[in-house]
Amino acid sequence: MLVSPGRYRSTVASAKSQEERSQLEGCAVVEAEPVELISHTEAPPKARRSHVKVDFDNTQEAYKSKGNIELLRSLLVFRLCAIDVLLMELTKKLFGQRIFEKMMKMTFYGQFVAGEDHNAIKPLIRKNRAFGVGAVLDYSVEEDLTQEEREKKYKAHRQFGDRRGGVISARTYFYADEAKCDTQMETFLNCIKASGGASADGFSAIKMTALGRPQFLLQFSEVLVKWRRFFNFLAAQQGKSEMMLLEQKLELDELKESLAKMGLGAKDDIGNWFSGEKLGLSGAIDLLDWNSLINNTTKISNLLMVPNLKTGQLEPLLKTFTAEEESQMKRMLQRVDILANHAVEHGVRLMVDAEQTYFQPAISRLTLEMQRKFNREKPIIFNTYQCYLKEAYDNVTMDIELSRREGWYFGAKLVRGAYMYQERDRAKEIGYEDPINPDYEATNRMYHKCLEYVLEEIDNSRKANVMVASHNEDTVKFTLEKMNEMGLSPTENKVYFGQLLGMCDQISFPLGQAGFPVYKYVPYGPVNEVIPYLSRRAQENRGFMKGSQRERSLLWRELKRRLLSGQVVYRPSY
């Protein structure tokens, strides 16, 4: 049995304000009951070590890296974020480019962006590193065109012309041509190089949609989804649909008969599918075996036929690519491989960001191919799992099981999700099931369920690594509690924490100073070219600042403490 039904338990995290529920990526600034991090029961021998407890209310520790001017800036920016009428473009028109850039550097840009280029960001990275906080570098320049402008400039189809509608927390890329993809790859290469030069343990973030034609990702995702649904259909025929995903094993003899009756070939020929891949030696195959039949993204068989589950008619699993599409696909894969090799050369770990569900199966599969190749000795490539998706737990458990079987290091970043409104609108418009969990509480449960599974894998094998990318204080406390229960030391560098630059410092810096590996997502780029990023940060913060005063109250508390103790001028020493 691969997964015991009772072994992994989900934990419900408290959900508070309506605004918090509406912004899954925003800071969770809830007034939570204190979480006891020290177990009072006798721990197993491997867990008998001093437990670590982090105080997220100690403002002196949380803000010791910040000068008084920086605290005042944070207060100002968070206050401005709560004003709906704030329009950056209007400010730019009123004051002109030069004054506008100075104002931005004093406020939003200074709060959320590290600098204009890889040299300008080094002082901030060194300072954060001195206080225990690392960096995930993210070059945040993007083209700020409207839907109509993109269609006019590039004659793009509306379905692909602009995927930013309803997206606040994440950047999206637009495919113009192959030359643009090469340019974006060079940007990522420079970011990797800068990350390697800035610290010895850094990350660099990339997005697959920046590296190739999105139609390929869409088509390949459809192939993977069809193939998985076909497996589910066959499992239901064998009466196994109620079993947990990795426990669903298709009996090979029954499978051959079913496929032969569907007209997919003679029984003996069908048997060659599996014998050729050395599958089914035990008389049964599971979903991972099934997925391996599509064994290489550069050699997708156009001979595989699957029944249309609505019409019952056989149809090709994948429509044949044109010569141009085949070339574009291979070029995209080459770009991905170049980036991964560059990361290895510079000692940088590569964080592959998650994207929309209609691209994500292909993105995850390509990321798995990189993990198979580059994660043999240590985790270099990290995949991202969006826990607001209903299938998040299945995806995590399947990928971990694959890493076990093949002996490579599993690397994951867990986020709540960034495309909720867009995903729901698209599902409603096209007419398929909403892929998003119904509410914030369900997403919280999913996040903690996935996290606990990965933590148990780390505890059992030490060959998994996870970044808890969350601004939710309860989630961070939950992670610390589980680490203490399992005896997972922060110095093992198996569990990382991640937050955005300029947000939730009261979580990041106490964790770093307590010895936990914690990282800020560090955006950089010229002022005028990161306006779309800054606009998203303003919108994102607007939601959580309306819902609570917690971060502002902590900032005020520290500022008043310093002034009352005579620290009118405070400069961090490091």
Side-chain angles (χ1 to χ4, degrees), residues 13 110 143 181 226 235 237 310 316 350-351 369 416 503 511:
E143 193 173 29
C181 292
K226 279 184 184 178
Q237 282 191 331
K310 291 183 179 179
L350 212 57
M351 193 76 73
E369 295 299 328
R416 279 175 168 77
M503 293 173 62
L511 283 171

Side-chain angles (χ1 to χ4, degrees), residues 245-365:
L245 189 63
L246 283 174
E247 291 180 343
Q248 295 177 5
K249 295 185 178 181
L250 302 180
E251 301 301 326
L252 194 54
D253 288 338
E254 290 183 47
L255 175 61
K256 292 176 185 177
E257 289 182 9
S258 295
L259 295 177
K261 287 179 181 178
M262 292 176 191
L264 294 178
K267 188 174 179 181
D268 290 340
D269 292 336
I270 292 169
N272 292 333
W273 289 6
F274 307 105
S275 60
E277 296 293 331
K278 298 182 180 179
L279 302 176
L281 298 179
S282 64
I285 70 168
D286 62 14
L287 183 55
L288 291 177
D289 297 326
W290 182 254
N291 285 342
S292 70
L293 291 173
I294 303 176
N295 61 5
N296 192 313
T297 55
T298 61
K299 298 178 182 178
I300 300 171
S301 173
N302 59 6
L303 300 177
L304 285 175
M305 304 286 287
V306 295
N308 183 310
L309 299 183
K310 291 183 179 179
T311 66
Q313 300 296 313
L314 292 178
E315 58 184 31
L317 184 62
L318 176 68
K319 295 178 181 178
T320 305
F321 282 145
T322 65
E324 182 182 359
E325 289 171 334
E326 187 79 16
S327 174
Q328 291 170 350
M329 177 190 73
K330 289 181 178 179
R331 185 70 187 117
M332 180 181 187
L333 299 176
Q334 287 170 358
R335 293 185 187 109
V336 171
D337 196 63
I338 288 170
L339 290 172
N341 277 293
H342 205 66
V344 171
E345 290 171 11
H346 287 81
V348 174
R349 289 162 291 184
L350 212 57
M351 193 76 73
V352 181
D353 284 343
E355 305 193 48
Q356 290 92 338
T357 53
Y358 41 95
F359 297 129
Q360 193 55 44
I363 291 169
S364 291
R365 181 61 180 263

Side-chain angles (χ1 to χ4, degrees), residues 535-553:
S535 297
R536 287 199 305 274
R537 293 288 75 79
Q539 291 179 63
E540 186 175 14
N541 281 281
R542 188 179 302 152
F544 88 78
M545 286 309 298
K546 284 181 178 177
S548 174
Q549 301 287 325
R550 175 164 170 75
E551 187 154 12
R552 278 190 290 175
S553 68

Side-chain angles (χ1 to χ4, degrees), residues 517-573:
V518 59
Y519 295 82
K520 287 289 194 182
Y521 251 70
V522 177
Y524 67 100
V527 177
N528 201 45
E529 296 180 53
V530 297
I531 295 302
Y533 175 85
L534 293 173
S535 297
R536 287 199 305 274
R537 293 288 75 79
Q539 291 179 63
E540 186 175 14
N541 281 281
R542 188 179 302 152
F544 88 78
M545 286 309 298
K546 284 181 178 177
S548 174
Q549 301 287 325
R550 175 164 170 75
E551 187 154 12
R552 278 190 290 175
S553 68
L554 291 173
L555 287 163
W556 273 121
R557 186 197 305 173
E558 176 57 16
L559 192 59
K560 286 186 284 188
R561 186 198 66 79
R562 291 180 185 179
L563 295 177
L564 290 174
S565 63
Q567 293 178 302
V568 178
V569 178
Y570 173 86
R571 293 187 180 88
S573 58

Side-chain angles (χ1 to χ4, degrees), residues 97-120:
Q97 181 68 29
R98 186 176 177 183
I99 296 177
F100 171 74
E101 289 192 7
K102 287 185 177 180
M103 293 174 64
M104 292 300 294
K105 286 188 176 181
M106 293 171 62
T107 55
F108 288 95
Y109 185 92
Q111 181 73 15
F112 299 122
V113 182
E116 298 209 15
D117 55 42
H118 63 273
N119 287 319

